[in-house]
Amino acid sequence: RRQRQMCIETAHELSAYVERKLFTLNTGHAITAYLGRLRGYATIHESITDRQLRSVVREAMRESGLGLSARYGLDREEHFRYIDRIIGRFENPYLDDRVERVGREPLRKLGPTDRLVRPTLTAREYGYPTLALTLGIGAALLYDNPDDPESVEMMRRIEQQGLTDAVADFTGIPADAPIQEAIAQAVTLPADFSVSSLWVRTAGEKAARSGQIFSGCVCAVGSDSCKNSPWNMNFSYCHDPGSQTAGFFVSCRIERID
């Protein structure tokens, strides 16, 4: 029995080690490539030096890290320092890492157990936001590279099936899952994307369409998630756990810092 318990513990530790690398470094690397290509950058270094893009990539890795920390009991602050070290590697100007190489085979990377979908679902399982990760999924779905057979196949299937059904096939996420709406919004974001853009276009529009009156909510203003973003944001969230409107926007104001 003791030997069996040791095997279980070793397997758990090995899973934590493997997923920490795959769902941090590989996740951030892929999202940097997909967002960088949207902005016309050729390399990972060029992409990550874009301040706004870098803030989205860092936030995506932090979202993934929250899920990993909850699942495996990782030290959260140490994991966030690990993320900063990875960002530093991406910034190395001597690594001529092309976005086409890092972003190749998007269908594989959009698979249910791979670097984009799995950390997103894990973070959501533990109740953490996944807005930056969702932007990464949206950017992967926009990876239109005629020299990449998987990209060509992805674009063909999206056109034939429609986005939601194609995403369900690629990712294993059911077509009626709530995150499908956020993914659809992420795919329609312009090149000047930001995490705040997705917040406004999903939560804000959803709240407006619902026509609900935000009463009895305890609201918090601001977001740590955006402190590295070139935006000055003042958000009010509904945080009443007993309310169906929990998490929706009550109001928001965004100013671009030029």
Side-chain angles (χ1 to χ4, degrees), residues 10 14 22 104 123 134 149:
T10 300
L14 180 60
L22 178 60
R104 67 188 175 189
T134 304

Side-chain angles (χ1 to χ4, degrees), residues 12 19 66-74 118 121-122 125-126:
H12 183 78
E19 291 194 10
L66 291 172
L68 288 170
S69 298
R71 171 160 289 178
Y72 293 111
L74 303 179
R118 177 70 177 276
L121 297 182
T122 297
E125 177 185 344
Y126 289 97

Side-chain angles (χ1 to χ4, degrees), residues 117 121 163-165 167-181 183:
V117 173
L121 297 182
L163 179 65
T164 300
D165 288 341
V167 169
D169 282 352
F170 302 156
T171 67
I173 298 172
D176 59 352
I179 194 176
Q180 283 274 11
E181 181 179 4
I183 292 172

Side-chain angles (χ1 to χ4, degrees), residues 203-215 244-245 248-249:
E205 291 179 6
K206 189 172 184 179
R209 289 197 303 273
S210 71
Q212 297 177 358
I213 299 174
F214 297 92
S215 60
Q244 292 184 348
T245 62
F248 287 171
F249 278 76

Side-chain angles (χ1 to χ4, degrees), residues 5-255:
Q5 181 63 30
M6 289 176 62
C7 288
I8 292 173
E9 291 175 356
T10 300
H12 183 78
E13 291 172 0
L14 180 60
S15 294
Y17 175 81
V18 171
E19 291 194 10
R20 183 175 186 254
K21 188 263 183 185
L22 178 60
F23 301 144
T24 309
L25 190 152
N26 293 32
T27 295
H29 213 200
I31 293 176
T32 302
Y34 292 131
L35 295 179
R37 184 174 172 85
L38 282 178
R39 290 200 168 178
Y41 297 124
T43 66
I44 294 298
H45 164 67
E46 289 177 0
S47 302
I48 206 66
T49 53
D50 180 311
R51 183 175 62 165
Q52 194 172 7
L53 188 154
R54 184 172 64 251
S55 72
V56 174
V57 172
R58 177 181 283 111
E59 181 62 18
M61 289 195 288
R62 287 171 69 95
E63 290 172 356
S64 176
L66 291 172
L68 288 170
S69 298
R71 171 160 289 178
Y72 293 111
L74 303 179
D75 183 297
R76 183 181 298 182
E77 293 308 313
E78 171 55 33
H79 187 72
F80 286 170
R81 288 191 290 272
Y82 172 57
I83 289 170
D84 289 339
R85 292 195 296 272
I86 290 172
I87 294 287
R89 288 174 58 180
F90 293 170
E91 292 174 335
N92 187 338
Y94 299 104
L95 296 179
D96 186 29
D97 214 356
R98 314 296 290 182
V99 295
E100 287 81 7
R101 187 199 71 79
V102 178
R104 67 188 175 189
E105 301 177 345
L107 289 178
R108 176 174 62 85
K109 292 181 171 72
L110 283 164
T113 62
D114 215 282
R115 66 208 68 197
L116 298 174
V117 173
R118 177 70 177 276
T120 302
L121 297 182
T122 297
R124 291 174 68 86
E125 177 185 344
Y126 289 97
Y128 292 112
T130 57
L131 294 159
L133 285 167
T134 304
L135 274 177
I137 292 173
L141 291 163
L142 292 169
Y143 183 68
D144 187 0
N145 182 356
D147 296 323
D148 185 324
E150 283 201 10
S151 172
V152 173
E153 173 68 7
M154 179 176 69
M155 293 301 168
R156 182 188 68 79
R157 290 169 63 181
I158 289 173
E159 182 176 1
Q160 290 183 350
Q161 297 177 247
L163 179 65
T164 300
D165 288 341
V167 169
D169 282 352
F170 302 156
T171 67
I173 298 172
D176 59 352
I179 194 176
Q180 283 274 11
E181 181 179 4
I183 292 172
Q185 292 285 356
V187 169
T188 63
L189 285 174
D192 61 339
F193 52 78
S194 70
V195 176
S196 60
S197 300
L198 191 58
W199 278 342
V200 172
R201 296 185 61 172
T202 53
E205 291 179 6
K206 189 172 184 179
R209 289 197 303 273
S210 71
Q212 297 177 358
I213 299 174
F214 297 92
S215 60
C217 291
V218 178
C219 295
V221 177
S223 170
D224 290 339
S225 301
C226 290
K227 60 188 177 184
N228 294 316
S229 172
W231 297 80
N232 178 27
M233 283 161 284
N234 186 348
F235 295 122
S236 297
Y237 306 93
C238 175
H239 281 297
D240 178 4
S243 170
Q244 292 184 348
T245 62
F248 287 171
F249 278 76
V250 178
S251 63
C252 66
R253 175 177 58 82
I254 305 177
E255 296 175 355

